[in-house]
Amino acid sequence: MDRELVDYIHARLKTVINPKRYTHTLGVVDAAIYLAEKYGEDPLHAQIAALLHDYAKDFTEKELKDYIEKYKIEVDKELFEAYQLLHGKVAAHIAKKEFNINNKNILNAIENHTTGRSNMSRLEKIIYLADFIEVGRNYPGVDELRLLVEEDLDKGLLKALNNTIIYVLSIEGLLHPNTVYARNEILKIVKD
Ligand SMILES: [Fe+2]
Ligand SMILES: [Fe+2]
């Protein structure tokens, strides 16, 4: 059953995301399973969340907004304005509707991978981080982040959130408040 679900997701995924993103997704799956095994999370949950996290990433702005409207998905103002962040929300909805995934932790991990949020579960942290450290990622600081994630999930998360905030500010992008909440909360946990 699980095998069938995973195969089905793979088959559908290939039809909605481009080959480069599919390769990225496979990298996120591997990283997420690795981190799940290392940090005591369910590897199947990590695999499914990772597989679906970017399912809607190649939707256009109009497609994302039409989807949100069609299914009356609740979206805050910042998320709607920074529409690139919407793909997590839409993917979580598709995971439930199309793939019958009802596990709230998996759905939250998919939904919140674009912003983080306060009180992230272990699975949410794993998916957020796997997205940044998968083997195909190559940017200044990625090796430092990989080492930190290896050492401690929360230390890695703080670094990844800091990196995101610095990046968003550098491009004068819209910073989602949930990213700030996540960062300040994890800062407290790491520094205490
Ligand atoms: Fe994403
Ligand atoms: Fe991703």
Side-chain angles (χ1 to χ4, degrees), residues 24 28 53-54 113 131 137:
H24 159 70
V28 178
H53 84 286
D54 273 347
H113 87 271
D131 200 12
R137 291 283 199 195

Side-chain angles (χ1 to χ4, degrees), residues 33-82:
I33 291 174
Y34 170 77
L35 292 176
E37 282 168 352
K38 181 175 169 73
Y39 288 111
E41 187 52 66
D42 185 327
L44 180 64
H45 290 179
Q47 183 181 21
I48 291 171
L51 264 176
L52 289 168
H53 84 286
D54 273 347
Y55 194 89
K57 180 93 184 219
D58 285 337
F59 284 27
T60 63
E61 177 173 0
K62 185 175 182 323
E63 284 169 336
L64 286 168
K65 289 184 172 173
D66 285 351
Y67 191 98
I68 297 277
E69 206 159 293
K70 180 173 178 191
Y71 292 103
K72 313 223 174 319
I73 299 171
E74 239 179 79
V75 170
D76 59 56
K77 190 168 97 292
E78 288 88 352
L79 211 59
F80 203 73
E81 282 170 13

Side-chain angles (χ1 to χ4, degrees), residues 9-11 13-15 17-28 51 58:
I9 296 173
H10 272 281
L13 195 57
K14 284 185 202 162
T15 70
I17 58 175
N18 69 52
K20 214 173 136 205
R21 193 156 339 270
Y22 182 67
T23 304
H24 159 70
T25 297
L26 297 184
V28 178
L51 264 176
D58 285 337

Side-chain angles (χ1 to χ4, degrees), residues 82-150:
Y83 78 91
Q84 297 90 338
L85 301 176
L86 283 173
H87 72 268
K89 274 256 181 204
V90 170
H93 193 274
I94 292 171
K96 194 175 163 92
K97 191 178 148 288
E98 192 173 331
F99 299 102
N100 284 319
I101 290 158
N102 294 304
N103 181 298
K104 197 67 190 143
N105 200 20
I106 296 176
L107 297 177
N108 284 340
I110 297 169
E111 176 172 337
N112 295 305
H113 87 271
T114 57
T115 57
R117 63 165 180 166
S118 78
N119 218 356
M120 289 167 82
S121 72
R122 190 170 42 198
L123 184 64
E124 286 177 77
K125 293 175 184 177
I126 286 173
I127 298 303
Y128 188 88
L129 286 169
D131 200 12
F132 284 104
I133 63 164
E134 61 97 357
V135 68
R137 291 283 199 195
N138 184 14
Y139 56 87
V142 67
D143 286 329
E144 189 193 350
L145 180 60
R146 286 185 179 122
L147 285 174
L148 273 175
V149 175
E150 193 68 36

Side-chain angles (χ1 to χ4, degrees), residues 142-173:
V142 67
D143 286 329
E144 189 193 350
L145 180 60
R146 286 185 179 122
L147 285 174
L148 273 175
V149 175
E150 193 68 36
E151 185 190 325
D152 181 85
L153 207 55
D154 287 338
K155 283 186 189 167
L157 184 63
L158 175 61
K159 186 75 190 165
L161 289 163
N162 281 343
N163 288 348
T164 298
I165 291 170
I166 290 166
Y167 173 72
V168 174
L169 294 183
S170 79
I171 60 164
E172 299 195 353

